[in-house]
């Protein structure tokens, strides 16, 4: 039932956006709270694909792009979704990877604007994305997460949760040697 209520909340969000007359759409589309509420509902219901779609819309329609809260909720929706459900309508299992790419892009953009050299997402986002990769057997996402965390040699690059989840993703995808290599990094 929780998923049903969340699904209904996401549908209401979509219907409200569609019903706004074109003259007033900019004012509604620019309000990040609309998106954040819909993304929290998607996270509560484990609705990864709708969350990724809402996040893309927010990134496009809201000045300044998706907020940190929105990105976290979209990633949480992917985490909460049942295993194997993150396929898009074409059957691709890249929904979590799309959310991860949005997070990486936003963090890189912000870090560069602030003059920071470390452009990696927070370790919590890296852990969550790695778990999504393991759950879906998405070796490409796992490799991207590993590449991102290991761009700087520090405790994040050796985070056991990230390494184990990425190793699990490689194993589920059928790449046992890459899984063993990843576990050996810890």
């Amino acid at each position: 039932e929780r998923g049903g209520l969340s699904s209904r909340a996401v549908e209401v969000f979509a219907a409200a956006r569609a019903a706004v007359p074109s003259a007033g759409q900019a004012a509604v589309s620019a309000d990040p709270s609309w998106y954040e509420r819909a993304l929290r509902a998607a996270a509560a219901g484990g609705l990864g694909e709708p969350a990724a779609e809402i996040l893309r819309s927010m990134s496009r329609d809201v000045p300044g792009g998706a907020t940190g809260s929105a990105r976290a909720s979209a990633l949480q929706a992917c985490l909460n979704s049942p295993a194997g459900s993150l396929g898009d309508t074409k059957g691709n299992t890249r929904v979590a990877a799309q959310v991860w790419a949005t997070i990486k892009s936003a963090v890189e953009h912000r870090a560069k604007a602030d003059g920071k050299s470390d452009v990696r997402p927070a370790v919590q986002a890296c852990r969550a994305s790695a778990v999504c990769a393991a759950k879906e057997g998405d070796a490409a996402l796992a490799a991207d997460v590993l590449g991102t965390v290991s761009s700087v040699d520090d405790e994040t690059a050796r985070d056991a949760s990230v390494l184990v989840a990425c190793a699990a993703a490689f194993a589920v995808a059928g790449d046992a040697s890459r899984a063993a290599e990843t576990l050996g990094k810890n």
Side-chain angles (χ1 to χ4, degrees), residues 36-119:
E36 289 171 349
R37 279 192 292 273
L39 285 164
R40 284 192 300 271
L47 304 171
E49 187 175 354
E53 187 175 321
I54 293 166
L55 188 66
R56 275 192 303 275
S57 289
M58 184 179 193
S59 296
R60 181 188 62 238
D61 297 342
V62 174
T67 62
S69 172
R71 295 188 307 263
S73 291
L75 189 53
Q76 189 65 46
C78 292
L79 272 173
N80 291 348
S81 66
S85 69
L86 291 181
D88 61 18
T89 55
K90 296 173 187 72
N92 299 320
T93 57
R94 304 291 303 158
V95 174
Q98 293 168 12
V99 172
W100 169 248
T102 300
I103 291 169
K104 271 185 27 177
S105 175
V107 169
E108 288 171 2
H109 178 72
R110 180 64 184 199
K112 288 178 183 175
D114 292 346
K116 296 180 180 176
S117 59
D118 187 0
V119 295

Coordinates of all heavy atoms in Angstrom, one line a residue, residues 36-119:
E36 N 10.8 18.4 -5.0 CA 11.3 17.7 -3.8 C 10.2 16.9 -3.1 O 10.5 15.8 -2.7 CB 11.9 18.7 -2.8 CG 13.2 19.3 -3.3 CD 13.7 20.5 -2.5 OE1 12.9 21.0 -1.6 OE2 14.8 21.0 -2.7
R37 N 9.0 17.4 -3.1 CA 7.9 16.6 -2.5 C 7.6 15.3 -3.3 O 7.5 14.2 -2.8 CB 6.6 17.4 -2.4 CG 6.6 18.4 -1.2 CD 5.2 19.0 -1.0 NE 4.8 19.9 -2.0 CZ 5.1 21.2 -2.0 NH1 5.8 21.7 -1.0 NH2 4.7 22.0 -3.0
A38 N 7.6 15.5 -4.6 CA 7.4 14.3 -5.5 C 8.5 13.3 -5.3 O 8.3 12.1 -5.3 CB 7.2 14.7 -6.9
L39 N 9.8 13.8 -5.2 CA 10.9 12.9 -5.1 C 10.9 12.2 -3.7 O 11.3 11.0 -3.6 CB 12.2 13.6 -5.3 CG 12.5 13.9 -6.8 CD1 13.6 15.0 -6.9 CD2 12.8 12.7 -7.5
R40 N 10.5 12.9 -2.7 CA 10.3 12.2 -1.4 C 9.3 11.1 -1.4 O 9.5 10.0 -0.9 CB 10.0 13.2 -0.3 CG 11.2 14.1 0.2 CD 10.9 14.9 1.4 NE 9.8 15.8 1.3 CZ 9.9 17.0 0.9 NH1 11.1 17.5 0.5 NH2 8.8 17.8 0.8
A41 N 8.2 11.4 -2.1 CA 7.2 10.3 -2.3 C 7.7 9.1 -3.1 O 7.5 8.0 -2.7 CB 5.9 10.9 -3.0
A42 N 8.5 9.4 -4.1 CA 9.1 8.4 -4.9 C 10.0 7.6 -4.1 O 10.1 6.3 -4.2 CB 9.7 8.9 -6.2
A43 N 10.8 8.2 -3.2 CA 11.8 7.5 -2.4 C 11.0 6.6 -1.4 O 11.4 5.5 -1.2 CB 12.6 8.5 -1.6
A44 N 10.0 7.2 -0.8 CA 9.2 6.4 0.2 C 8.6 5.1 -0.5 O 8.5 4.1 0.2 CB 8.1 7.2 0.8
G45 N 8.2 5.2 -1.7 CA 7.6 4.1 -2.4 C 8.6 3.2 -3.2 O 8.2 2.3 -3.8
G46 N 9.9 3.6 -3.2 CA 10.8 2.8 -4.0 C 10.6 2.9 -5.5 O 10.7 1.9 -6.2
L47 N 10.2 4.1 -6.0 CA 9.9 4.3 -7.4 C 11.0 4.9 -8.1 O 11.1 6.1 -8.3 CB 8.6 5.2 -7.5 CG 7.4 4.7 -6.8 CD1 6.3 5.7 -6.7 CD2 6.9 3.4 -7.4
G48 N 12.0 4.1 -8.4 CA 13.3 4.6 -9.0 C 13.1 5.3 -10.3 O 13.7 6.4 -10.6
E49 N 12.4 4.7 -11.3 CA 12.3 5.2 -12.6 C 11.5 6.6 -12.6 O 12.0 7.5 -13.2 CB 11.6 4.2 -13.5 CG 11.6 4.7 -15.0 CD 11.1 3.7 -16.0 OE1 10.8 2.6 -15.6 OE2 10.9 4.1 -17.1
P50 N 10.4 6.7 -11.9 CA 9.8 8.0 -11.9 C 10.6 9.1 -11.2 O 10.7 10.2 -11.6 CB 8.5 7.8 -11.1 CG 8.2 6.3 -11.2 CD 9.5 5.7 -11.3
A51 N 11.4 8.6 -10.2 CA 12.3 9.6 -9.5 C 13.4 10.1 -10.5 O 13.7 11.3 -10.5 CB 13.0 8.9 -8.3
A52 N 13.9 9.2 -11.3 CA 14.9 9.7 -12.2 C 14.3 10.6 -13.2 O 15.0 11.6 -13.6 CB 15.5 8.5 -13.0
E53 N 13.1 10.4 -13.7 CA 12.4 11.3 -14.6 C 12.1 12.7 -14.0 O 12.4 13.7 -14.6 CB 11.1 10.6 -15.1 CG 10.4 11.4 -16.2 CD 9.2 10.7 -16.6 OE1 9.2 9.4 -16.8 OE2 8.2 11.3 -16.9
I54 N 11.7 12.7 -12.7 CA 11.4 13.9 -12.0 C 12.7 14.7 -11.8 O 12.8 15.9 -12.0 CB 10.7 13.7 -10.7 CG1 9.3 13.1 -10.9 CG2 10.7 14.9 -9.8 CD1 8.7 12.5 -9.7
L55 N 13.8 14.0 -11.5 CA 15.1 14.6 -11.3 C 15.6 15.3 -12.6 O 16.1 16.4 -12.6 CB 16.1 13.6 -10.7 CG 17.5 14.2 -10.3 CD1 17.3 15.1 -9.1 CD2 18.4 13.1 -10.0
R56 N 15.4 14.6 -13.7 CA 15.8 15.1 -15.0 C 15.0 16.4 -15.3 O 15.6 17.4 -15.7 CB 15.6 14.1 -16.1 CG 16.7 13.2 -16.3 CD 16.5 12.4 -17.6 NE 15.3 11.7 -17.7 CZ 15.1 10.4 -17.2 NH1 16.1 9.8 -16.6 NH2 14.0 9.8 -17.4
S57 N 13.7 16.4 -15.0 CA 12.9 17.6 -15.2 C 13.3 18.7 -14.3 O 13.4 19.8 -14.8 CB 11.4 17.2 -14.9 OG 10.8 16.4 -15.8
M58 N 13.6 18.4 -13.1 CA 14.0 19.5 -12.2 C 15.3 20.1 -12.6 O 15.5 21.3 -12.6 CB 14.2 18.9 -10.8 CG 14.5 20.0 -9.7 SD 14.6 19.2 -8.1 CE 14.6 20.7 -7.1
S59 N 16.3 19.2 -13.1 CA 17.6 19.7 -13.5 C 17.4 20.7 -14.7 O 18.1 21.6 -14.8 CB 18.5 18.5 -13.9 OG 18.8 17.8 -12.8
R60 N 16.4 20.3 -15.5 CA 16.2 21.1 -16.7 C 15.4 22.4 -16.5 O 15.7 23.5 -17.0 CB 15.5 20.3 -17.8 CG 15.1 20.9 -19.1 CD 14.3 20.1 -20.0 NE 13.0 19.8 -19.3 CZ 12.5 18.6 -19.1 NH1 13.2 17.5 -19.4 NH2 11.3 18.5 -18.5
D61 N 14.4 22.3 -15.6 CA 13.4 23.4 -15.4 C 13.6 24.4 -14.3 O 13.1 25.5 -14.3 CB 12.0 22.8 -15.2 CG 11.5 21.9 -16.4 OD1 12.0 22.1 -17.5 OD2 10.6 21.1 -16.2
V62 N 14.4 24.0 -13.3 CA 14.6 24.8 -12.1 C 15.9 25.6 -12.3 O 17.0 24.9 -12.5 CB 14.6 24.0 -10.8 CG1 14.9 24.8 -9.6 CG2 13.2 23.3 -10.6
P63 N 15.9 26.9 -12.2 CA 17.2 27.6 -12.2 C 18.1 27.1 -11.1 O 17.8 26.9 -10.0 CB 16.8 29.1 -11.9 CG 15.3 29.1 -12.3 CD 14.8 27.8 -12.0
G64 N 19.3 26.8 -11.5 CA 20.3 26.2 -10.6 C 20.3 24.7 -10.5 O 21.1 24.1 -9.9
G65 N 19.3 24.1 -11.2 CA 19.2 22.6 -11.3 C 18.6 22.0 -10.1 O 18.0 22.6 -9.3
A66 N 18.8 20.7 -10.0 CA 18.3 19.9 -8.9 C 19.0 20.2 -7.6 O 20.2 20.3 -7.6 CB 18.4 18.4 -9.2
T67 N 18.3 20.3 -6.6 CA 18.8 20.6 -5.2 C 19.5 19.3 -4.7 O 19.2 18.2 -5.1 CB 17.8 21.1 -4.3 OG1 16.8 20.0 -4.1 CG2 17.1 22.3 -4.7
G68 N 20.3 19.5 -3.7 CA 21.0 18.3 -3.0 C 20.0 17.4 -2.4 O 20.1 16.2 -2.5
S69 N 18.9 18.0 -1.9 CA 17.9 17.2 -1.3 C 17.1 16.4 -2.3 O 16.8 15.2 -2.1 CB 16.9 18.1 -0.6 OG 15.7 17.4 -0.1
A70 N 16.9 17.0 -3.5 CA 16.2 16.3 -4.6 C 17.1 15.1 -5.1 O 16.6 14.0 -5.3 CB 15.9 17.2 -5.7
R71 N 18.4 15.4 -5.3 CA 19.3 14.3 -5.7 C 19.3 13.2 -4.8 O 19.3 12.0 -5.1 CB 20.7 14.9 -6.0 CG 20.7 15.9 -7.1 CD 22.1 16.4 -7.5 NE 22.9 16.8 -6.4 CZ 23.1 18.1 -6.1 NH1 22.5 19.0 -6.8 NH2 23.9 18.4 -5.1
A72 N 19.4 13.5 -3.5 CA 19.4 12.4 -2.4 C 18.1 11.6 -2.4 O 18.2 10.4 -2.3 CB 19.7 13.1 -1.1
S73 N 17.0 12.3 -2.6 CA 15.7 11.6 -2.6 C 15.6 10.6 -3.9 O 15.1 9.5 -3.8 CB 14.6 12.5 -2.6 OG 14.5 13.2 -1.4
A74 N 16.1 11.1 -5.0 CA 16.1 10.3 -6.2 C 17.0 9.0 -6.0 O 16.6 7.9 -6.4 CB 16.5 11.1 -7.4
L75 N 18.1 9.2 -5.4 CA 19.0 8.1 -5.2 C 18.4 7.1 -4.2 O 18.4 5.9 -4.3 CB 20.4 8.6 -4.7 CG 21.5 7.5 -4.6 CD1 21.6 6.8 -5.9 CD2 22.8 8.2 -4.2
Q76 N 17.7 7.7 -3.1 CA 17.0 6.9 -2.2 C 15.9 6.1 -2.8 O 15.7 4.9 -2.5 CB 16.5 7.7 -1.0 CG 16.0 6.9 0.1 CD 17.0 6.2 0.9 OE1 18.1 6.7 1.1 NE2 16.8 4.9 1.1
A77 N 15.2 6.7 -3.8 CA 14.2 5.9 -4.5 C 14.7 4.7 -5.2 O 14.1 3.6 -5.2 CB 13.4 6.9 -5.5
C78 N 15.9 4.9 -5.8 CA 16.6 3.8 -6.5 C 17.0 2.7 -5.5 O 16.8 1.5 -5.7 CB 17.8 4.3 -7.2 SG 17.4 5.3 -8.7
L79 N 17.5 3.1 -4.3 CA 17.9 2.2 -3.3 C 16.7 1.4 -2.8 O 16.8 0.2 -2.5 CB 18.5 2.9 -2.1 CG 20.0 3.2 -2.1 CD1 20.4 4.1 -0.9 CD2 20.8 1.9 -2.1
N80 N 15.5 2.1 -2.6 CA 14.4 1.5 -2.0 C 13.6 0.6 -3.0 O 12.7 -0.1 -2.6 CB 13.4 2.5 -1.4 CG 14.0 3.2 -0.2 OD1 15.0 2.7 0.4 ND2 13.4 4.3 0.2
S81 N 13.9 0.7 -4.3 CA 13.2 0.0 -5.3 C 13.5 -1.5 -5.2 O 14.6 -1.9 -4.8 CB 13.5 0.5 -6.7 OG 14.8 0.3 -7.0
P82 N 12.6 -2.4 -5.6 CA 12.9 -3.8 -5.6 C 14.0 -4.1 -6.6 O 14.1 -3.5 -7.6 CB 11.6 -4.4 -6.0 CG 10.5 -3.4 -5.8 CD 11.2 -2.1 -6.0
A83 N 14.8 -5.1 -6.3 CA 15.8 -5.5 -7.2 C 15.2 -5.9 -8.6 O 14.2 -6.5 -8.7 CB 16.6 -6.7 -6.6
G84 N 15.9 -5.4 -9.6 CA 15.4 -5.7 -11.0 C 14.4 -4.8 -11.5 O 14.0 -4.9 -12.6
S85 N 14.0 -3.8 -10.7 CA 12.9 -2.9 -11.1 C 13.4 -1.6 -11.7 O 12.6 -0.7 -12.1 CB 12.0 -2.6 -9.9 OG 12.6 -1.8 -9.0
L86 N 14.7 -1.4 -11.7 CA 15.2 -0.1 -12.2 C 15.4 0.0 -13.7 O 16.0 0.9 -14.2 CB 16.6 0.2 -11.5 CG 16.4 0.5 -10.0 CD1 17.8 0.8 -9.4 CD2 15.5 1.6 -9.7
G87 N 14.9 -1.0 -14.4 CA 14.9 -0.9 -15.9 C 14.0 0.2 -16.4 O 12.9 0.4 -15.8
D88 N 14.4 0.9 -17.4 CA 13.6 1.9 -18.0 C 12.5 1.2 -18.9 O 12.5 0.0 -19.0 CB 14.4 3.0 -18.7 CG 15.2 2.4 -19.9 OD1 14.9 1.3 -20.4 OD2 16.1 3.1 -20.3
T89 N 11.7 1.9 -19.6 CA 10.7 1.3 -20.4 C 11.2 0.5 -21.5 O 10.5 -0.3 -22.1 CB 9.7 2.4 -20.9 OG1 10.5 3.4 -21.6 CG2 9.0 3.1 -19.8
K90 N 12.4 0.7 -21.9 CA 13.1 -0.1 -23.0 C 13.8 -1.3 -22.4 O 14.4 -2.1 -23.1 CB 14.0 0.8 -23.7 CG 13.4 1.9 -24.4 CD 14.4 2.9 -25.0 CE 13.8 4.1 -25.6 NZ 13.3 5.0 -24.6
G91 N 13.7 -1.6 -21.1 CA 14.3 -2.7 -20.5 C 15.8 -2.5 -20.1 O 16.4 -3.5 -19.7
N92 N 16.3 -1.3 -20.2 CA 17.7 -1.0 -19.8 C 17.7 -0.9 -18.3 O 16.8 -0.3 -17.7 CB 18.2 0.2 -20.5 CG 18.2 0.1 -22.0 OD1 18.5 -0.9 -22.5 ND2 17.8 1.2 -22.6
T93 N 18.8 -1.4 -17.7 CA 19.0 -1.2 -16.2 C 19.9 -0.1 -15.9 O 20.9 -0.3 -15.3 CB 19.5 -2.5 -15.6 OG1 20.7 -2.9 -16.3 CG2 18.5 -3.7 -15.7
R94 N 19.6 1.1 -16.4 CA 20.5 2.2 -16.2 C 19.9 3.4 -15.4 O 20.4 4.5 -15.5 CB 20.9 2.7 -17.6 CG 21.6 1.7 -18.5 CD 22.9 1.2 -18.0 NE 23.8 2.4 -17.9 CZ 24.9 2.4 -17.1 NH1 25.2 1.4 -16.4 NH2 25.6 3.5 -17.0
V95 N 18.7 3.2 -14.8 CA 18.1 4.3 -14.0 C 19.0 4.8 -12.9 O 19.2 6.0 -12.8 CB 16.7 3.8 -13.5 CG1 16.1 4.9 -12.6 CG2 15.8 3.5 -14.7
A96 N 19.5 3.9 -12.1 CA 20.4 4.4 -11.0 C 21.6 5.1 -11.6 O 22.1 6.1 -11.0 CB 20.8 3.2 -10.1
A97 N 22.1 4.6 -12.7 CA 23.3 5.2 -13.4 C 22.9 6.7 -13.8 O 23.8 7.6 -13.8 CB 23.8 4.4 -14.6
Q98 N 21.7 6.9 -14.3 CA 21.3 8.2 -14.7 C 21.2 9.1 -13.5 O 21.7 10.3 -13.6 CB 19.9 8.1 -15.3 CG 19.9 7.4 -16.7 CD 18.5 7.1 -17.1 OE1 17.5 7.6 -16.6 NE2 18.4 6.3 -18.1
V99 N 20.7 8.6 -12.4 CA 20.7 9.5 -11.2 C 22.1 9.8 -10.7 O 22.5 10.9 -10.4 CB 19.9 8.8 -10.1 CG1 20.0 9.5 -8.7 CG2 18.4 8.7 -10.5
W100 N 23.0 8.8 -10.7 CA 24.4 8.9 -10.3 C 25.1 10.0 -11.2 O 25.8 10.9 -10.8 CB 25.1 7.6 -10.4 CG 26.6 7.7 -10.3 CD1 27.5 7.4 -11.3 CD2 27.4 8.0 -9.1 NE1 28.8 7.6 -10.8 CE2 28.8 8.0 -9.5 CE3 27.1 8.4 -7.8 CZ2 29.8 8.2 -8.6 CZ3 28.1 8.7 -6.9 CH2 29.4 8.6 -7.3
A101 N 24.8 9.9 -12.5 CA 25.4 10.9 -13.5 C 24.9 12.3 -13.1 O 25.7 13.3 -13.2 CB 25.1 10.5 -14.9
T102 N 23.7 12.5 -12.8 CA 23.1 13.8 -12.4 C 23.8 14.3 -11.2 O 24.2 15.5 -11.1 CB 21.6 13.7 -12.2 OG1 21.0 13.3 -13.4 CG2 21.0 15.1 -11.8
I103 N 24.0 13.4 -10.2 CA 24.7 13.8 -8.9 C 26.1 14.2 -9.2 O 26.6 15.2 -8.8 CB 24.6 12.6 -7.9 CG1 23.2 12.4 -7.5 CG2 25.5 12.9 -6.8 CD1 22.9 11.2 -6.7
K104 N 26.8 13.4 -10.0 CA 28.2 13.7 -10.3 C 28.3 15.0 -11.0 O 29.2 15.8 -10.7 CB 28.8 12.6 -11.2 CG 29.4 11.5 -10.4 CD 30.1 10.5 -11.3 CE 30.7 10.9 -12.6 NZ 31.4 9.9 -13.4
S105 N 27.5 15.2 -12.0 CA 27.5 16.5 -12.8 C 27.3 17.7 -11.9 O 28.0 18.7 -12.0 CB 26.5 16.4 -13.9 OG 26.5 17.6 -14.6
A106 N 26.3 17.6 -11.0 CA 26.0 18.7 -10.1 C 27.1 19.0 -9.1 O 27.5 20.2 -8.9 CB 24.7 18.4 -9.4
V107 N 27.7 18.0 -8.6 CA 28.8 18.1 -7.6 C 30.0 18.7 -8.3 O 30.7 19.6 -7.8 CB 29.1 16.8 -6.9 CG1 30.4 16.9 -6.1 CG2 27.9 16.4 -6.0
E108 N 30.3 18.2 -9.5 CA 31.5 18.7 -10.3 C 31.3 20.2 -10.6 O 32.2 21.0 -10.4 CB 31.7 17.9 -11.5 CG 32.2 16.5 -11.3 CD 32.2 15.6 -12.5 OE1 31.9 16.1 -13.6 OE2 32.6 14.5 -12.4
H109 N 30.1 20.5 -11.0 CA 29.8 21.9 -11.4 C 29.9 22.8 -10.2 O 30.6 23.9 -10.3 CB 28.4 22.0 -12.0 CG 28.0 23.4 -12.3 ND1 28.5 24.1 -13.4 CD2 27.1 24.3 -11.7 CE1 28.0 25.3 -13.4 NE2 27.1 25.4 -12.4
R110 N 29.4 22.4 -9.1 CA 29.4 23.2 -7.8 C 30.9 23.4 -7.3 O 31.3 24.4 -6.9 CB 28.6 22.6 -6.8 CG 28.5 23.3 -5.4 CD 27.9 24.7 -5.6 NE 28.0 25.4 -4.4 CZ 27.3 26.5 -4.1 NH1 26.4 26.9 -5.0 NH2 27.4 27.1 -3.0
A111 N 31.6 22.2 -7.3 CA 33.0 22.3 -6.9 C 33.9 23.2 -7.7 O 34.7 24.0 -7.2 CB 33.6 20.9 -6.9
K112 N 33.7 23.1 -9.0 CA 34.4 24.0 -9.9 C 34.1 25.5 -9.7 O 34.9 26.3 -9.7 CB 34.2 23.6 -11.4 CG 35.0 22.3 -11.7 CD 34.7 21.9 -13.1 CE 35.4 20.5 -13.3 NZ 35.1 20.0 -14.6
A113 N 32.8 25.7 -9.5 CA 32.3 27.1 -9.2 C 32.9 27.6 -7.9 O 33.2 28.8 -7.8 CB 30.8 27.2 -9.2
D114 N 33.1 26.7 -6.9 CA 33.7 27.1 -5.6 C 35.2 27.0 -5.6 O 35.8 27.3 -4.6 CB 33.1 26.2 -4.5 CG 31.6 26.5 -4.3 OD1 31.1 27.5 -4.8 OD2 31.0 25.6 -3.6
G115 N 35.8 26.6 -6.7 CA 37.3 26.5 -6.8 C 37.8 25.4 -6.0 O 39.0 25.4 -5.6
K116 N 37.1 24.3 -5.8 CA 37.5 23.1 -5.0 C 38.1 22.1 -6.0 O 37.7 22.0 -7.1 CB 36.4 22.5 -4.3 CG 35.8 23.4 -3.2 CD 34.7 22.6 -2.5 CE 34.1 23.5 -1.4 NZ 33.0 22.9 -0.7
S117 N 39.1 21.4 -5.5 CA 39.8 20.4 -6.4 C 39.1 19.1 -6.3 O 39.2 18.3 -7.3 CB 41.3 20.3 -6.0 OG 41.4 19.9 -4.7
D118 N 38.6 18.7 -5.2 CA 37.9 17.4 -5.0 C 36.5 17.5 -5.5 O 35.6 18.2 -4.9 CB 37.9 16.9 -3.5 CG 37.4 15.5 -3.4 OD1 37.0 14.9 -4.4 OD2 37.4 15.1 -2.2
V119 N 36.2 16.9 -6.7 CA 34.9 17.0 -7.3 C 34.1 15.8 -7.1 O 33.2 15.5 -7.9 CB 35.0 17.5 -8.8 CG1 35.6 18.8 -8.9 CG2 35.8 16.4 -9.6

